[in-house]
Amino acid sequence: MSKIKKPSRSKLVKKLDTVFSQYIRLKDSVDGIGTCITCGKQDNIKNLQAGHFQSRRFYSTRWDKRNVKIQCVGCNVFRYGEQHLFSLYLGNKLSKNLLEESRKIVKFTNVELEEMIQKYSQRLKKFT
């Protein structure tokens, strides 16, 4: 009997990041074309990114749909997420809520990460 090796925590986080990013870009696009929420650039979602208002280092908001929107590489990477423009897009109340939420310490279990992977994988199927 061989034992099935469970994926490491880092592999689960990476897989969830991938599935969640695909979901955000598909959800907020039309016919595979997305619009950067900070500069308005339109492009194929394969060339766009899932930009975070509050940094991905905050696990409490890392996979929160309200915190993640489509951004072009220029805004998300080279202009560090254009957080001020991002906050204008979100609105004052939501920006404050996400800031407060991001400061909460959260430790997801591997089971919870696997459940989120399943949830967003199921949601992705709706777009295919």
Side-chain angles (χ1 to χ4, degrees), residues 11-56:
K11 284 194 168 140
L12 288 173
V13 167
K14 186 173 181 172
K15 170 96 174 169
L16 179 53
D17 282 342
T18 300
V19 171
F20 184 71
S21 172
Q22 291 171 337
Y23 169 72
I24 291 296
R25 289 177 290 137
L26 272 170
K27 171 181 85 70
D28 294 339
S29 66
V30 177
D31 296 326
I33 303 298
T35 304
C36 176
I37 58 113
T38 46
C39 76
K41 176 183 177 180
Q42 291 189 320
D43 203 344
N44 188 295
I45 57 171
K46 293 175 184 172
N47 302 323
L48 297 169
Q49 299 181 343
H52 291 70
F53 174 61
Q54 291 300 313
S55 172
R56 287 176 7 143

Side-chain angles (χ1 to χ4, degrees), residues 2 4 7-8 20 26 47 51 55 58 63 65 68 75 77 84 94 96 98 108 111 113 117 125 127:
S2 67
I4 297 173
S8 68
F20 184 71
L26 272 170
N47 302 323
S55 172
F58 302 117
W63 301 290
K65 294 183 300 187
V68 186
C75 288
V77 176
H84 174 70
L94 181 53
K96 284 181 179 179
L98 287 169
F108 292 108
V111 170
L113 293 172
I117 290 168
K125 289 180 183 176
F127 295 105

